[in-house]
Amino acid sequence: MTTDMTSRTAAASPAAAPAASAAPAVRTGRRRARRSGALAVVPLLLFTAIAFGLPAAAMLDGAFSVRDPASGTASYGLGNLTASLQGAYLTALVGSVELSATSAVLAALLGLLLAQAIVTSPLRGLREAVLTASGVLANFGGVPLAFAFVATLGNSGVLTRELGLTDTGWNLYSFWGLVLVYLYFLVPLMVLTITPALDGLRTQWREAAQNNGATHRQYWQHVALPVLAPSLLGGLVLLFGSAFAAYATAAAMVGSSVPLVTLQIADAISGNVLIGQENVALALSLDMVLVAGLVMAVYLPLQRRSARWLA
Amino acid sequence: MARLTARPATASPWRALVLAAAALYFLVPLAASVVFTVDVPGQGLNLDAYTRILDTEGFLPSLLLSLELAAATIAVVLLLVVPATVALRLTAPKLRPVVEIVCALPLVVPPIAFVAGIGTVLKWGPEHLSRTPLFQTFVAVQNPDFPVVLVLAYAVMALPFAHRALDAGLRAVDVRTLVEAARSCGASLPHALLRAVLPNLRGALLSASFLTLALVLGEFTIAQLLGFRPFAVWIVNISGSQAQMSVAVSVMSLLVTWLLLLLLAGFGGGRRTPSPTTDRK
């Protein structure tokens, strides 16, 4: 390699006029820089190939490997995937979709209301405060969130005791309990997502609509909502994906009293179910990845589209 | 004309209602948590739950483990992402889409699915590789004193956020001109990168580090399912026997995390809010 390069430069230098020799030097310098630039990217790619690629490949391999119970031989097939879409697994998958969809829709509506409240508010400080708080609260998840709600509305929670909620049939460890908890990080996430879009609604558009005789309702129906639609939808799928992937909050709070796909996978991994179900857990994981991938495939183009109005 | 003036610019009742409801919903659980930890039924107010934290078994080891993991993860992430993003700006813009896709991929895989895959890979060790030198590697990465496998997993999960933070930071700096100016003044390329480019990225480096720190301190899913016991797993483990203390520790860890994120919002130039790390839930 080195000898080849030196011989090539040696062969090239007599041909080049001394005055022009600076140009090739710059060019080789640039080429070397380009190569070292590509080299700087290699560790990152290598790392993801191992730390991310191996588990992903293992998941795919396991999800499609079916072990024949009689002979014990493994072959590729769709057995695990079909099993992951049946019985308790299907119930969990549907439960997760229902929970995520309900929380996402509610959070999107409430987040939109809250964002509209701060965008139209004349108080500048309030807006900054709510946005900063949203940035912090959107990161609030997992175990501490679960415990905060258990302390508030759990069986011996402060509000449960003070208000005597147990007699009214209140139960935090249920579908609606989880929705209430998930809203705590989903609403701020929606506020962060939708505020730039609401800021993008120009006052001139409202004035133009009003000058043309449009009512408040007509303005929202024909001007504001169509402009907001990509951001709203994008926010909605983002919230859905966030709620769908959530595990720690639910695990620390409800155990397994609400059927969720993340809890099912965790059960199967920790060996709490029949031996040989590990591959079904991997198939369930693959189901989740497909849903999450779909969410991203919807979200990213929508985000790009909504960015047009904010320029 | 009447219609134009019909919309009052002052505070309207619906806005006050929305803000009040939001304040109630977001503040009550926090206030109630604090009350829960200091108000013992039948004993009145005391701060026992907080004063006992330090003496509780497992608190310091688990916290230290989390902090060590966080430090290692931050180092790994920065060492991987900083050279790559700087190089993309300087010399290899063609690789940009590749890096962007690679760094966004972890977002598509929920942590629970990721850990299912990791668990499968780790099982290959005893099953297929027990007679090869690779087996020792598999044992070493699972050392309970310092589980390297968690560092690898956390680094993957932090990639999207670190990449986004650094990319945004780099966009605000004209790296090429900076490097060229430094080199015209006689600096070598490494010198130019270290002394001219990196200081300009201080904000971005800090925000990438903070986001990673918050992610590692709060991470529960992967550590629990792989059987390790950092901070978040420890809190859940003690919650059964010491409910009050587990809430107290949660409140404390929240305050610390929020302080970090608020600092980050401050460093980010005030207007930018920290991008949400959606993978802790």
Side-chain angles (χ1 to χ4, degrees), chain A residues 33-34 37 41 47-48 55 58 117 120 122 126 131-132 136 138-140 142 147-148 152 158 180 183-185 189 246-248 292-293, chain B residues 15 19 25-26 29 32-33 36 80 87 91 99 102 108 117 121 155 159 220-221 224 235-236 239 250 254 258 262 273 276-277 280-281:
Chain A
R34 204 172 300 150
V41 182
F47 174 82
T48 29
T120 55
L126 177 80
L131 281 182
T132 309
V136 170
N139 286 289
F140 185 15
F147 284 167
T152 311
V158 173
L180 188 75
L183 287 181
Y184 206 88
F185 59 80
L189 190 56
Y247 164 72
Chain B
R15 195 186 299 142
L19 289 170
Y25 173 67
F26 286 105
S33 300
F36 184 84
L80 289 173
T91 51
V99 170
V102 162
V108 180
V121 174
L159 266 188
F220 169 76
T221 310
Q224 189 227 14
I235 302 185
V236 175
S239 70
S250 290
L254 273 181
W258 287 359
L262 283 176
T273 42
T277 59
R280 295 183 52 198
K281 289 111 199 182

Short mmCIF file of all heavy atoms in Angstrom, two decimals, chain A residues 33-34 37 41 47-48 55 58 117 120 122 126 131-132 136 138-140 142 147-148 152 158 180 183-185 189 246-248 292-293, chain B residues 15 19 25-26 29 32-33 36 80 87 91 99 102 108 117 121 155 159 220-221 224 235-236 239 250 254 258 262 273 276-277 280-281:
data_model
loop_
_atom_site.label_atom_id
_atom_site.label_comp_id
_atom_site.label_asym_id
_atom_site.label_seq_id
_atom_site.Cartn_x
_atom_site.Cartn_y
_atom_site.Cartn_z
N ALA A 33 -8.27 13.90 4.30
CA ALA A 33 -9.18 14.41 5.31
C ALA A 33 -10.53 13.70 5.20
O ALA A 33 -11.14 13.35 6.20
CB ALA A 33 -9.37 15.91 5.13
N ARG A 34 -10.95 13.47 3.93
CA ARG A 34 -12.23 12.82 3.75
C ARG A 34 -12.19 11.40 4.31
O ARG A 34 -13.11 10.94 4.93
CB ARG A 34 -12.60 12.81 2.26
CG ARG A 34 -14.08 12.70 2.05
CD ARG A 34 -14.42 12.88 0.58
NE ARG A 34 -14.01 14.18 0.09
CZ ARG A 34 -13.63 14.41 -1.18
NH1 ARG A 34 -13.62 13.40 -2.04
NH2 ARG A 34 -13.27 15.60 -1.56
N GLY A 37 -12.21 11.53 7.93
CA GLY A 37 -13.57 11.88 8.35
C GLY A 37 -14.45 10.66 8.40
O GLY A 37 -15.18 10.43 9.36
N VAL A 41 -16.38 8.11 11.74
CA VAL A 41 -17.75 7.62 11.84
C VAL A 41 -17.77 6.12 12.14
O VAL A 41 -18.73 5.59 12.68
CB VAL A 41 -18.53 7.94 10.55
CG1 VAL A 41 -19.96 7.49 10.65
CG2 VAL A 41 -18.47 9.43 10.28
N PHE A 47 -20.10 0.23 16.76
CA PHE A 47 -20.74 0.08 18.06
C PHE A 47 -22.22 -0.27 17.90
O PHE A 47 -22.73 -1.20 18.54
CB PHE A 47 -20.60 1.37 18.87
CG PHE A 47 -21.35 1.35 20.17
CD1 PHE A 47 -20.79 0.75 21.28
CD2 PHE A 47 -22.61 1.91 20.26
CE1 PHE A 47 -21.49 0.70 22.48
CE2 PHE A 47 -23.31 1.87 21.46
CZ PHE A 47 -22.74 1.26 22.56
N THR A 48 -22.93 0.48 17.06
CA THR A 48 -24.36 0.19 16.90
C THR A 48 -24.57 -1.18 16.28
O THR A 48 -25.53 -1.87 16.61
CB THR A 48 -25.09 1.24 16.05
OG1 THR A 48 -24.16 1.79 15.13
CG2 THR A 48 -25.67 2.32 16.90
N PRO A 55 -28.59 -7.68 19.35
CA PRO A 55 -29.88 -7.96 19.98
C PRO A 55 -31.03 -7.95 18.98
O PRO A 55 -31.94 -8.78 19.06
CB PRO A 55 -30.03 -6.84 21.01
CG PRO A 55 -28.66 -6.40 21.31
CD PRO A 55 -27.90 -6.57 20.03
N ALA A 58 -30.87 -11.11 17.10
CA ALA A 58 -31.29 -12.21 17.97
C ALA A 58 -32.80 -12.24 18.12
O ALA A 58 -33.42 -13.30 18.13
CB ALA A 58 -30.62 -12.06 19.34
N ALA A 117 -53.99 27.92 25.64
CA ALA A 117 -54.13 28.85 26.76
C ALA A 117 -52.85 29.67 26.95
O ALA A 117 -52.92 30.88 27.18
CB ALA A 117 -54.46 28.10 28.05
N THR A 120 -52.15 32.10 23.70
CA THR A 120 -52.98 33.31 23.61
C THR A 120 -52.86 34.17 24.85
O THR A 120 -53.43 35.26 24.89
CB THR A 120 -54.46 32.93 23.40
OG1 THR A 120 -54.84 32.05 24.46
CG2 THR A 120 -54.67 32.26 22.07
N PRO A 122 -51.57 36.82 27.44
CA PRO A 122 -50.73 38.01 27.31
C PRO A 122 -49.50 37.95 28.22
O PRO A 122 -48.57 38.73 28.06
CB PRO A 122 -51.67 39.15 27.72
CG PRO A 122 -52.72 38.50 28.55
CD PRO A 122 -52.83 37.09 28.13
N LEU A 126 -45.59 33.46 32.04
CA LEU A 126 -46.39 32.26 32.23
C LEU A 126 -46.08 31.24 31.15
O LEU A 126 -45.87 30.05 31.40
CB LEU A 126 -47.87 32.61 32.17
CG LEU A 126 -48.83 31.44 32.28
CD1 LEU A 126 -48.98 31.03 33.72
CD2 LEU A 126 -50.17 31.75 31.66
N LEU A 131 -43.74 26.13 29.50
CA LEU A 131 -42.92 25.38 28.55
C LEU A 131 -41.74 24.69 29.24
O LEU A 131 -41.46 23.52 28.96
CB LEU A 131 -42.42 26.30 27.44
CG LEU A 131 -43.45 26.61 26.36
CD1 LEU A 131 -42.85 27.50 25.28
CD2 LEU A 131 -43.97 25.34 25.72
N THR A 132 -41.09 25.41 30.15
CA THR A 132 -39.97 24.78 30.88
C THR A 132 -40.49 23.62 31.72
O THR A 132 -39.91 22.53 31.72
CB THR A 132 -39.28 25.80 31.78
OG1 THR A 132 -38.96 26.95 31.00
CG2 THR A 132 -38.01 25.24 32.37
N VAL A 136 -39.60 19.51 31.56
CA VAL A 136 -39.19 18.69 32.69
C VAL A 136 -40.17 17.55 32.92
O VAL A 136 -39.78 16.40 33.11
CB VAL A 136 -39.06 19.58 33.94
CG1 VAL A 136 -38.88 18.73 35.18
CG2 VAL A 136 -37.90 20.53 33.79
N ALA A 138 -42.28 16.14 30.85
CA ALA A 138 -42.32 15.15 29.79
C ALA A 138 -41.25 14.09 30.00
O ALA A 138 -41.33 12.98 29.49
CB ALA A 138 -42.14 15.81 28.43
N ASN A 139 -40.21 14.46 30.79
CA ASN A 139 -39.17 13.50 31.13
C ASN A 139 -39.50 12.71 32.39
O ASN A 139 -38.74 11.84 32.79
CB ASN A 139 -37.84 14.22 31.36
CG ASN A 139 -37.24 14.68 30.06
OD1 ASN A 139 -36.78 13.88 29.28
ND2 ASN A 139 -37.30 15.98 29.83
N PHE A 140 -40.61 13.06 33.00
CA PHE A 140 -41.00 12.43 34.25
C PHE A 140 -41.72 11.14 33.93
O PHE A 140 -42.80 11.14 33.40
CB PHE A 140 -41.92 13.38 35.02
CG PHE A 140 -42.30 12.90 36.39
CD1 PHE A 140 -41.62 11.87 36.99
CD2 PHE A 140 -43.33 13.50 37.06
CE1 PHE A 140 -41.97 11.44 38.25
CE2 PHE A 140 -43.69 13.08 38.32
CZ PHE A 140 -43.01 12.05 38.92
N GLY A 142 -41.52 6.52 34.49
CA GLY A 142 -40.92 5.41 35.19
C GLY A 142 -41.36 5.29 36.63
O GLY A 142 -42.47 5.69 37.00
N PHE A 147 -44.75 5.88 41.85
CA PHE A 147 -44.83 6.01 43.31
C PHE A 147 -45.52 7.29 43.73
O PHE A 147 -46.21 7.31 44.74
CB PHE A 147 -43.43 5.92 43.91
CG PHE A 147 -42.90 4.51 43.93
CD1 PHE A 147 -41.58 4.26 44.19
CD2 PHE A 147 -43.76 3.45 43.68
CE1 PHE A 147 -41.11 2.95 44.20
CE2 PHE A 147 -43.30 2.15 43.69
CZ PHE A 147 -41.96 1.90 43.95
N ALA A 148 -45.32 8.37 42.97
CA ALA A 148 -46.00 9.61 43.31
C ALA A 148 -47.51 9.40 43.27
O ALA A 148 -48.25 9.87 44.15
CB ALA A 148 -45.59 10.73 42.36
N THR A 152 -50.45 9.26 46.19
CA THR A 152 -51.56 10.20 46.12
C THR A 152 -52.90 9.49 46.08
O THR A 152 -53.82 9.78 46.85
CB THR A 152 -51.43 11.07 44.85
OG1 THR A 152 -50.12 11.58 44.79
CG2 THR A 152 -52.42 12.21 44.88
N VAL A 158 -52.72 9.60 49.97
CA VAL A 158 -53.19 10.75 50.75
C VAL A 158 -54.60 11.17 50.36
O VAL A 158 -55.50 11.30 51.19
CB VAL A 158 -52.21 11.93 50.59
CG1 VAL A 158 -52.76 13.17 51.24
CG2 VAL A 158 -50.85 11.56 51.17
N LEU A 180 -54.84 7.95 33.81
CA LEU A 180 -54.63 9.17 34.61
C LEU A 180 -53.13 9.41 34.84
O LEU A 180 -52.65 10.54 34.76
CB LEU A 180 -55.34 9.02 35.96
CG LEU A 180 -55.36 10.27 36.83
CD1 LEU A 180 -56.35 11.28 36.30
CD2 LEU A 180 -55.64 9.94 38.28
N LEU A 183 -51.21 10.40 31.56
CA LEU A 183 -51.45 11.79 31.14
C LEU A 183 -50.38 12.72 31.72
O LEU A 183 -50.08 13.76 31.15
CB LEU A 183 -52.84 12.26 31.59
CG LEU A 183 -54.03 11.67 30.84
CD1 LEU A 183 -55.32 12.25 31.37
CD2 LEU A 183 -53.91 11.96 29.34
N TYR A 184 -49.82 12.30 32.85
CA TYR A 184 -48.86 13.17 33.54
C TYR A 184 -47.63 13.45 32.69
O TYR A 184 -47.04 14.51 32.78
CB TYR A 184 -48.45 12.53 34.87
CG TYR A 184 -48.01 13.52 35.91
CD1 TYR A 184 -48.94 14.10 36.77
CD2 TYR A 184 -46.69 13.89 36.04
CE1 TYR A 184 -48.54 15.00 37.72
CE2 TYR A 184 -46.29 14.80 36.99
CZ TYR A 184 -47.23 15.35 37.84
OH TYR A 184 -46.84 16.27 38.77
N PHE A 185 -47.20 12.49 31.87
CA PHE A 185 -46.07 12.83 30.99
C PHE A 185 -46.51 13.06 29.55
O PHE A 185 -45.79 13.66 28.77
CB PHE A 185 -44.95 11.79 31.08
CG PHE A 185 -45.33 10.37 30.73
CD1 PHE A 185 -45.42 9.97 29.41
CD2 PHE A 185 -45.58 9.45 31.73
CE1 PHE A 185 -45.76 8.66 29.09
CE2 PHE A 185 -45.91 8.13 31.43
CZ PHE A 185 -46.01 7.74 30.11
N LEU A 189 -45.80 16.47 26.95
CA LEU A 189 -45.19 16.13 25.66
C LEU A 189 -45.99 16.76 24.52
O LEU A 189 -45.42 17.30 23.56
CB LEU A 189 -45.15 14.60 25.51
CG LEU A 189 -44.35 14.02 24.37
CD1 LEU A 189 -42.92 14.50 24.43
CD2 LEU A 189 -44.39 12.49 24.43
N ALA A 246 -44.25 2.23 27.15
CA ALA A 246 -44.05 2.39 28.59
C ALA A 246 -44.12 1.05 29.31
O ALA A 246 -45.01 0.25 29.05
CB ALA A 246 -45.10 3.35 29.15
N TYR A 247 -43.15 0.83 30.18
CA TYR A 247 -43.17 -0.41 30.97
C TYR A 247 -43.00 -0.14 32.46
O TYR A 247 -43.79 -0.64 33.27
CB TYR A 247 -42.08 -1.35 30.49
CG TYR A 247 -41.77 -2.46 31.47
CD1 TYR A 247 -42.67 -3.51 31.66
CD2 TYR A 247 -40.61 -2.45 32.23
CE1 TYR A 247 -42.40 -4.52 32.57
CE2 TYR A 247 -40.34 -3.45 33.15
CZ TYR A 247 -41.24 -4.48 33.32
OH TYR A 247 -40.98 -5.47 34.22
N ALA A 248 -41.98 0.65 32.82
CA ALA A 248 -41.61 0.81 34.22
C ALA A 248 -42.77 1.32 35.06
O ALA A 248 -43.04 0.80 36.14
CB ALA A 248 -40.40 1.74 34.34
N ALA A 292 -44.20 0.37 16.67
CA ALA A 292 -43.39 1.58 16.89
C ALA A 292 -42.84 2.10 15.56
O ALA A 292 -42.78 3.31 15.34
CB ALA A 292 -42.26 1.28 17.86
N GLY A 293 -42.44 1.18 14.69
CA GLY A 293 -41.93 1.59 13.39
C GLY A 293 -43.00 2.30 12.57
O GLY A 293 -42.74 3.31 11.91
N ARG B 15 -59.48 30.30 29.82
CA ARG B 15 -58.03 30.17 29.92
C ARG B 15 -57.62 29.99 31.38
O ARG B 15 -56.80 29.12 31.71
CB ARG B 15 -57.36 31.41 29.34
CG ARG B 15 -55.89 31.20 29.07
CD ARG B 15 -55.25 32.47 28.62
NE ARG B 15 -55.84 33.00 27.39
CZ ARG B 15 -56.04 34.29 27.16
NH1 ARG B 15 -55.71 35.18 28.08
NH2 ARG B 15 -56.56 34.69 26.03
N LEU B 19 -55.73 26.65 32.94
CA LEU B 19 -54.46 26.75 33.66
C LEU B 19 -54.59 26.28 35.10
O LEU B 19 -53.72 25.59 35.62
CB LEU B 19 -53.95 28.20 33.62
CG LEU B 19 -53.47 28.64 32.23
CD1 LEU B 19 -53.22 30.14 32.20
CD2 LEU B 19 -52.19 27.89 31.86
N TYR B 25 -53.68 19.40 38.57
CA TYR B 25 -53.33 18.03 38.19
C TYR B 25 -51.83 17.76 38.35
O TYR B 25 -51.42 16.68 38.77
CB TYR B 25 -53.77 17.76 36.75
CG TYR B 25 -53.30 16.42 36.22
CD1 TYR B 25 -53.82 15.24 36.75
CD2 TYR B 25 -52.36 16.32 35.22
CE1 TYR B 25 -53.40 14.00 36.30
CE2 TYR B 25 -51.93 15.09 34.75
CZ TYR B 25 -52.45 13.94 35.29
OH TYR B 25 -52.03 12.72 34.84
N PHE B 26 -51.01 18.75 38.00
CA PHE B 26 -49.58 18.50 38.02
C PHE B 26 -48.95 18.73 39.40
O PHE B 26 -47.89 18.19 39.70
CB PHE B 26 -48.87 19.36 36.97
CG PHE B 26 -49.11 18.84 35.57
CD1 PHE B 26 -49.98 19.48 34.71
CD2 PHE B 26 -48.49 17.68 35.15
CE1 PHE B 26 -50.22 18.98 33.45
CE2 PHE B 26 -48.73 17.17 33.89
CZ PHE B 26 -49.58 17.82 33.04
N PRO B 29 -50.18 15.57 42.88
CA PRO B 29 -49.43 14.34 43.17
C PRO B 29 -48.08 14.61 43.84
O PRO B 29 -47.66 13.84 44.71
CB PRO B 29 -49.22 13.71 41.79
CG PRO B 29 -50.31 14.26 40.97
CD PRO B 29 -50.54 15.65 41.47
N ALA B 32 -48.89 15.65 47.43
CA ALA B 32 -49.39 14.49 48.16
C ALA B 32 -48.24 13.53 48.48
O ALA B 32 -48.22 12.92 49.55
CB ALA B 32 -50.47 13.78 47.35
N SER B 33 -47.27 13.39 47.55
CA SER B 33 -46.13 12.51 47.82
C SER B 33 -45.36 12.99 49.03
O SER B 33 -44.96 12.20 49.88
CB SER B 33 -45.19 12.47 46.61
OG SER B 33 -45.86 12.00 45.49
N PHE B 36 -47.31 12.29 52.08
CA PHE B 36 -47.27 10.84 52.33
C PHE B 36 -46.01 10.45 53.08
O PHE B 36 -46.04 9.57 53.94
CB PHE B 36 -47.34 10.12 50.99
CG PHE B 36 -47.40 8.62 51.09
CD1 PHE B 36 -48.59 7.95 51.30
CD2 PHE B 36 -46.24 7.87 50.96
CE1 PHE B 36 -48.64 6.57 51.38
CE2 PHE B 36 -46.28 6.49 51.04
CZ PHE B 36 -47.49 5.83 51.26
N LEU B 80 -18.21 8.31 20.96
CA LEU B 80 -18.72 7.80 19.69
C LEU B 80 -19.32 8.91 18.84
O LEU B 80 -19.08 8.99 17.63
CB LEU B 80 -19.79 6.73 19.94
CG LEU B 80 -19.33 5.39 20.48
CD1 LEU B 80 -20.53 4.52 20.81
CD2 LEU B 80 -18.45 4.69 19.46
N ALA B 87 -16.91 15.11 12.20
CA ALA B 87 -16.38 14.67 10.92
C ALA B 87 -17.42 14.86 9.81
O ALA B 87 -17.08 15.24 8.69
CB ALA B 87 -15.96 13.21 11.01
N THR B 91 -15.84 16.87 6.80
CA THR B 91 -15.30 16.21 5.61
C THR B 91 -16.20 15.18 4.97
O THR B 91 -16.04 14.88 3.80
CB THR B 91 -13.99 15.49 5.97
OG1 THR B 91 -14.23 14.68 7.12
CG2 THR B 91 -12.89 16.47 6.27
N VAL B 99 -25.65 8.10 9.29
CA VAL B 99 -25.53 8.33 10.73
C VAL B 99 -26.88 8.72 11.31
O VAL B 99 -27.27 8.27 12.40
CB VAL B 99 -24.48 9.41 11.02
CG1 VAL B 99 -24.51 9.82 12.47
CG2 VAL B 99 -23.10 8.89 10.65
N VAL B 102 -28.96 5.57 11.65
CA VAL B 102 -28.42 4.70 12.69
C VAL B 102 -28.77 5.26 14.08
O VAL B 102 -29.14 4.53 14.98
CB VAL B 102 -26.89 4.56 12.53
CG1 VAL B 102 -26.25 4.05 13.80
CG2 VAL B 102 -26.58 3.61 11.39
N VAL B 108 -37.08 3.29 17.50
CA VAL B 108 -38.13 2.41 16.98
C VAL B 108 -38.27 1.16 17.83
O VAL B 108 -39.29 0.50 17.80
CB VAL B 108 -37.82 2.06 15.51
CG1 VAL B 108 -38.87 1.16 14.93
CG2 VAL B 108 -37.71 3.32 14.69
N GLY B 117 -34.10 -8.86 23.28
CA GLY B 117 -33.02 -9.23 22.35
C GLY B 117 -31.69 -9.41 23.06
O GLY B 117 -30.97 -10.38 22.82
N VAL B 121 -29.18 -12.74 23.31
CA VAL B 121 -27.76 -12.76 22.96
C VAL B 121 -26.93 -13.28 24.13
O VAL B 121 -26.03 -14.10 23.96
CB VAL B 121 -27.28 -11.34 22.56
CG1 VAL B 121 -25.78 -11.34 22.35
CG2 VAL B 121 -27.99 -10.89 21.29
N ALA B 155 -25.97 3.23 26.26
CA ALA B 155 -25.37 4.06 25.21
C ALA B 155 -26.24 4.02 23.95
O ALA B 155 -26.46 5.04 23.31
CB ALA B 155 -23.96 3.58 24.91
N LEU B 159 -28.17 7.29 22.32
CA LEU B 159 -27.69 7.77 21.02
C LEU B 159 -28.60 8.82 20.36
O LEU B 159 -28.10 9.87 19.95
CB LEU B 159 -27.52 6.59 20.06
CG LEU B 159 -26.15 5.92 19.95
CD1 LEU B 159 -26.18 4.92 18.81
CD2 LEU B 159 -25.08 6.96 19.70
N PHE B 220 -35.05 1.59 34.39
CA PHE B 220 -35.51 0.50 35.23
C PHE B 220 -35.65 -0.79 34.43
O PHE B 220 -35.16 -1.85 34.82
CB PHE B 220 -36.85 0.90 35.84
CG PHE B 220 -37.58 -0.22 36.53
CD1 PHE B 220 -37.19 -0.65 37.78
CD2 PHE B 220 -38.67 -0.82 35.93
CE1 PHE B 220 -37.87 -1.67 38.43
CE2 PHE B 220 -39.36 -1.85 36.57
CZ PHE B 220 -38.95 -2.27 37.82
N THR B 221 -36.27 -0.67 33.26
CA THR B 221 -36.65 -1.84 32.48
C THR B 221 -35.50 -2.80 32.23
O THR B 221 -35.57 -3.99 32.59
CB THR B 221 -37.21 -1.37 31.12
OG1 THR B 221 -38.17 -0.37 31.35
CG2 THR B 221 -37.82 -2.53 30.37
N GLN B 224 -33.63 -4.20 35.45
CA GLN B 224 -34.43 -5.15 36.21
C GLN B 224 -34.51 -6.49 35.50
O GLN B 224 -34.34 -7.54 36.11
CB GLN B 224 -35.84 -4.59 36.43
CG GLN B 224 -36.64 -5.43 37.41
CD GLN B 224 -38.03 -5.72 36.91
OE1 GLN B 224 -38.33 -5.53 35.75
NE2 GLN B 224 -38.88 -6.20 37.79
N ILE B 235 -35.21 1.03 44.36
CA ILE B 235 -36.41 1.70 44.90
C ILE B 235 -37.61 0.76 44.85
O ILE B 235 -38.37 0.64 45.80
CB ILE B 235 -36.75 2.99 44.12
CG1 ILE B 235 -35.59 3.95 44.14
CG2 ILE B 235 -37.96 3.66 44.73
CD1 ILE B 235 -35.94 5.27 43.49
N VAL B 236 -37.79 0.09 43.70
CA VAL B 236 -38.95 -0.78 43.56
C VAL B 236 -38.82 -1.96 44.52
O VAL B 236 -39.81 -2.38 45.14
CB VAL B 236 -39.09 -1.27 42.11
CG1 VAL B 236 -40.22 -2.27 42.00
CG2 VAL B 236 -39.33 -0.10 41.19
N SER B 239 -39.88 -0.97 47.95
CA SER B 239 -41.21 -0.36 48.08
C SER B 239 -42.18 -1.27 48.79
O SER B 239 -43.10 -0.82 49.48
CB SER B 239 -41.75 0.04 46.71
OG SER B 239 -42.06 -1.12 45.98
N SER B 250 -38.03 8.52 45.86
CA SER B 250 -38.54 8.97 44.55
C SER B 250 -38.59 10.48 44.49
O SER B 250 -38.18 11.09 43.49
CB SER B 250 -39.94 8.41 44.31
OG SER B 250 -39.88 7.04 44.09
N LEU B 254 -36.44 12.69 41.98
CA LEU B 254 -37.13 13.61 41.07
C LEU B 254 -36.52 15.00 41.14
O LEU B 254 -36.23 15.62 40.12
CB LEU B 254 -38.59 13.74 41.48
CG LEU B 254 -39.50 12.70 40.88
CD1 LEU B 254 -40.90 12.98 41.35
CD2 LEU B 254 -39.40 12.79 39.39
N TRP B 258 -34.86 16.85 38.09
CA TRP B 258 -35.44 18.11 37.60
C TRP B 258 -34.45 19.25 37.67
O TRP B 258 -34.40 20.10 36.79
CB TRP B 258 -36.71 18.43 38.38
CG TRP B 258 -37.82 17.53 37.98
CD1 TRP B 258 -37.76 16.54 37.02
CD2 TRP B 258 -39.13 17.50 38.50
NE1 TRP B 258 -38.95 15.92 36.94
CE2 TRP B 258 -39.82 16.48 37.83
CE3 TRP B 258 -39.80 18.23 39.47
CZ2 TRP B 258 -41.15 16.17 38.09
CZ3 TRP B 258 -41.11 17.93 39.74
CH2 TRP B 258 -41.78 16.90 39.06
N LEU B 262 -33.51 21.41 34.58
CA LEU B 262 -33.68 22.86 34.58
C LEU B 262 -32.37 23.55 34.25
O LEU B 262 -32.34 24.52 33.49
CB LEU B 262 -34.20 23.34 35.94
CG LEU B 262 -35.70 23.09 36.17
CD1 LEU B 262 -36.09 23.51 37.57
CD2 LEU B 262 -36.53 23.87 35.14
N THR B 273 -36.37 24.08 25.39
CA THR B 273 -36.67 23.18 26.49
C THR B 273 -36.00 21.85 26.20
O THR B 273 -35.81 21.50 25.04
CB THR B 273 -38.18 22.98 26.61
OG1 THR B 273 -38.71 22.83 25.31
CG2 THR B 273 -38.82 24.14 27.29
N PRO B 276 -37.61 15.65 25.16
CA PRO B 276 -38.04 14.58 26.03
C PRO B 276 -37.33 13.25 25.73
O PRO B 276 -37.20 12.85 24.58
CB PRO B 276 -39.53 14.46 25.74
CG PRO B 276 -39.74 15.12 24.44
CD PRO B 276 -38.65 16.09 24.25
N THR B 277 -36.88 12.60 26.77
CA THR B 277 -36.35 11.25 26.60
C THR B 277 -37.47 10.29 26.92
O THR B 277 -37.76 10.02 28.05
CB THR B 277 -35.19 11.00 27.57
OG1 THR B 277 -35.69 11.17 28.89
CG2 THR B 277 -34.05 11.96 27.36
N ARG B 280 -38.06 6.27 29.44
CA ARG B 280 -37.92 5.88 30.84
C ARG B 280 -39.17 5.20 31.35
O ARG B 280 -39.15 4.56 32.37
CB ARG B 280 -37.67 7.10 31.71
CG ARG B 280 -36.37 7.79 31.41
CD ARG B 280 -36.18 8.93 32.38
NE ARG B 280 -36.35 8.48 33.75
CZ ARG B 280 -36.57 9.32 34.74
NH1 ARG B 280 -36.69 10.59 34.52
NH2 ARG B 280 -36.71 8.87 35.97
N LYS B 281 -40.27 5.43 30.67
CA LYS B 281 -41.55 5.04 31.27
C LYS B 281 -41.67 3.56 31.36
O LYS B 281 -42.29 2.87 30.95
CB LYS B 281 -42.69 5.67 30.51
CG LYS B 281 -42.73 7.17 30.74
CD LYS B 281 -42.37 7.95 29.50
CE LYS B 281 -41.98 9.38 29.86
NZ LYS B 281 -41.66 10.15 28.68
#
